[in-house]
Amino acid sequence: MYPRATAPRSAVIVGAGMVGLATAWHLQEHGLHVTVLDRSGVAAGASWGNAGWLTPGMAMPLSDPSLWSYGAKALLDPTAPLHIPARLDPQLWSFLARFAAHATPRAWSKAMAALTPIDQMALEAFDELTAAGVDSVTRKGPFIIGFESAAQSVPFTKEINHVEAAGQSVPLVEMPDAQAKVPQLSDKVSTVYAMEGQRFIEPGPFVQALADSVLARGGRIVSGAEVQSLRHGPAGIAVETYASDPVTADVVVLATGAWLPKLAKPLGVRTLVRAGRGYSFSVATDEPAEFPIYLPARRVACTPYQGRLRIAGTMEFRGPDEPLQTGRIQAILDSVRPLFTNMDLENLQDIWVGPRPVTPDGLPLIGATRSPGVFVAGGHGMWGVVLGPATGKLLAEQIVTGTVPEQIRPFDPLR
C-alpha cells in the first residue's frame, strides 16, 4: 500500500520504453503529473528493433523442458539461436542454473497459469490506448508458422495446446497452399499453419506515438538523464541523475529493462535479471510481405516493416551494453537462407541489437519494492511489448489505490 497519508499526485518513471511509457500514460489517467527519465531516449532499448508481435497466445515462460536437450546442444554450437558466450562470469552461470531449474513441466505450467490472466487482457489494453488518442495502429495476422516437416511442428503445436489448456484461445489452422499466399517461403517449408487472434505493430513508431500522447497530456520526457540514485525526503522522492538537477515526486517507477538490477537490487528486488539480447535487420522482398512469419525450429520471427521484412532472432546472454556481435547476424541469415525466397538477403538495413530483461522463472517483476513509494515494472523477457500496456494499467491501479490487482500478484518483485 502507498505509505503516504494522501494519494500520490506526481510520479517519476525511469525508462522510456513500452512498459515505462504505458505506466506513465495510465498514471495520467488517474490524474498524476508524470516525468519520464531515460538515459538515451524513447524506445532506445529493447522496444525499438524487436519483432513487434502482439501475441499473447505465445507469451509463455521462456524456460521450458526442451531446454535440457536444446540448451546442451547450444553450448556446443556457436551458431545456435541460444548463445551463451564462453567466459568466466559467476553471476551469469548462477542465473543460468536457476533458469534451468525452472525448465520442468510443473514449473512451466505454474508460470503459464500466472501469465494467462495478463495475457488475456493484453490486446484490449492496446485498444484502450489507441481509442484514447495514441496515434498508431495494431495490425491483425494471421501469423504464418512454418516447418520443414510435419514432425518438426509437433513441439510447437504441443506448446499451443498447453497455452489453450491454461485458458487462452489460439486458433491454429493448417495451410496446404502456403507458398501461394506467402511467396517469401521456399518449398523447403513443407508444413505451415496460420495462427489467428494475434496482432503486430511497428514497435518504434508505436512507442513514439505513446510518448507523444504522454507529452500532449501534460507529461514531461527527459532524454539523456541516467539515474544515479533515489533519495527520500520530506518533499517526496528525489531522483538524482548524473547530468541534471534531481526530480522530486511522490512515487517512482523503475522500468529500465535489462538495467533494472542497478537501481532495484538495493531496494530488495533480489530476483536475477539478465539481458537476453535479440538481433534484427530488415530486407527487401520481391512482393510486399503481408503477414508475420515464424520459424519455430530456427527461433526466427519476421514482421512486415515499412515496406520491408524485419527478421529477428537469437537469445544471447551478454551484457546489455556490449557491442553488437556481427556473427549473430550471420547465424540468423545462415539459418533462414534455405527457407526463404523472393527476397534480398545480401542488402541488410536497420541492423539492431537490444537487451530483453529475462528472469529465471519466466515471470515479470511488477509491483512495490521495500522502499516506500518505489515500484518496479520489468523482467518481461521477450514479452515486454505485448504485455507493456496491460502492465502499465495494472501497476498504475496498484500505485493509486494501494491494492494489488489479481493479474499481477504472481509478479511480486520481492518474491
Side-chain angles (χ1 to χ4, degrees):
M1 181 177 293
Y2 186 73
R4 295 172 64 96
T6 58
R9 294 175 295 176
S10 60
V12 169
I13 293 84
V14 185
M18 178 70 87
V19 174
L21 287 167
T23 305
W25 192 94
H26 279 287
L27 286 172
Q28 288 178 313
E29 286 287 277
H30 289 282
L32 275 70
H33 176 73
V34 301
T35 299
V36 182
L37 306 177
D38 195 280
R39 68 173 195 163
S40 298
V42 172
S47 290
W48 185 85
N50 67 78
W53 285 18
L54 309 186
T55 51
M58 294 172 60
M60 60 186 77
L62 293 179
S63 185
D64 65 71
S66 69
L67 181 69
W68 290 103
S69 57
Y70 174 73
K73 295 176 183 177
L75 287 173
L76 302 174
D77 181 2
T79 67
L82 173 63
H83 182 62
I84 303 168
R87 59 173 59 166
L88 184 61
D89 185 342
Q91 289 186 336
L92 172 60
W93 292 104
S94 174
F95 170 86
L96 292 173
R98 299 184 193 192
F99 189 77
H102 286 89
T104 67
R106 181 178 179 182
W108 191 94
S109 295
K110 181 179 179 181
M112 189 67 242
L115 285 167
T116 296
I118 194 170
D119 285 348
Q120 290 173 322
M121 64 180 291
L123 297 182
E124 184 180 334
F126 274 89
D127 291 340
E128 182 176 357
L129 293 176
T130 56
V134 174
D135 189 16
S136 195
V137 297
T138 65
R139 298 169 61 186
K140 295 182 179 181
F143 281 65
I144 308 304
I145 317 296
F147 305 91
E148 294 158 77
S149 67
Q152 195 183 70
S153 71
V154 172
F156 178 79
T157 56
K158 282 185 176 179
E159 278 190 333
I160 296 303
N161 289 338
H162 290 316
V163 171
E164 290 200 311
Q168 293 194 61
S169 175
V170 191
L172 203 60
V173 179
E174 197 159 359
M175 291 181 65
D177 56 345
Q179 276 75 10
K181 296 182 179 179
V182 190
Q184 293 80 24
L185 295 178
S186 78
D187 57 10
K188 291 188 180 297
V189 182
S190 63
T191 301
V192 181
Y193 291 87
M195 186 170 67
E196 301 283 0
Q198 318 295 306
R199 304 186 210 170
F200 63 99
I201 58 171
E202 292 186 5
F206 192 100
V207 176
Q208 184 60 59
L210 182 55
D212 292 342
S213 181
V214 169
L215 290 171
R217 288 147 50 107
R220 188 163 68 108
I221 299 176
V222 183
S223 299
E226 183 172 0
V227 173
Q228 180 180 14
S229 61
L230 309 178
R231 178 170 47 83
H232 285 74
I237 306 168
V239 182
E240 299 176 325
T241 68
Y242 287 100
S244 58
D245 293 335
V247 181
T248 300
D250 295 333
V251 296
V252 173
V253 178
L254 305 178
T256 52
W259 295 270
L260 188 63
K262 177 184 175 183
L263 294 172
K265 186 176 180 180
L267 309 180
V269 181
R270 302 298 183 184
T271 298
L272 297 176
V273 177
R274 294 291 302 202
R277 307 200 311 172
Y279 286 74
S280 72
F281 51 87
S282 72
V283 299
T285 57
D286 292 353
E287 298 181 44
E290 295 184 57
F291 311 112
I293 301 169
Y294 183 37
L295 304 171
R298 307 296 178 119
R299 267 71 170 184
V300 170
C302 309
T303 316
Y305 175 73
Q306 298 185 1
R308 297 168 66 84
L309 186 69
R310 171 173 277 171
I311 299 176
T314 291
M315 175 65 74
E316 177 193 52
F317 285 106
R318 288 183 182 270
D321 294 310
E322 291 190 44
L324 180 147
Q325 305 294 306
T326 56
R328 303 313 306 156
I329 299 292
Q330 189 61 48
I332 296 172
L333 279 171
D334 291 344
S335 72
V336 301
R337 195 179 298 275
L339 308 183
F340 282 147
T341 187
N342 300 317
M343 66 177 68
D344 182 3
L345 292 176
E346 306 304 324
N347 179 24
L348 310 184
Q349 296 182 17
D350 307 305
I351 296 174
W352 173 88
V353 61
R356 314 176 189 101
V358 180
T359 61
D361 60 6
L363 301 180
L365 303 165
I366 307 170
T369 71
R370 287 185 182 151
S371 182
V374 182
F375 300 79
V376 299
H380 292 79
M382 296 170 60
W383 317 119
V385 167
V386 60
L387 299 182
T391 294
K393 180 181 178 71
L394 295 167
L395 181 58
E397 180 182 336
Q398 177 181 349
I399 291 170
V400 172
T401 68
T403 300
V404 181
E406 290 287 342
Q407 296 94 329
I408 58 173
R409 287 194 176 183
F411 312 143
D412 183 354
L414 303 180
R415 64 180 183 269

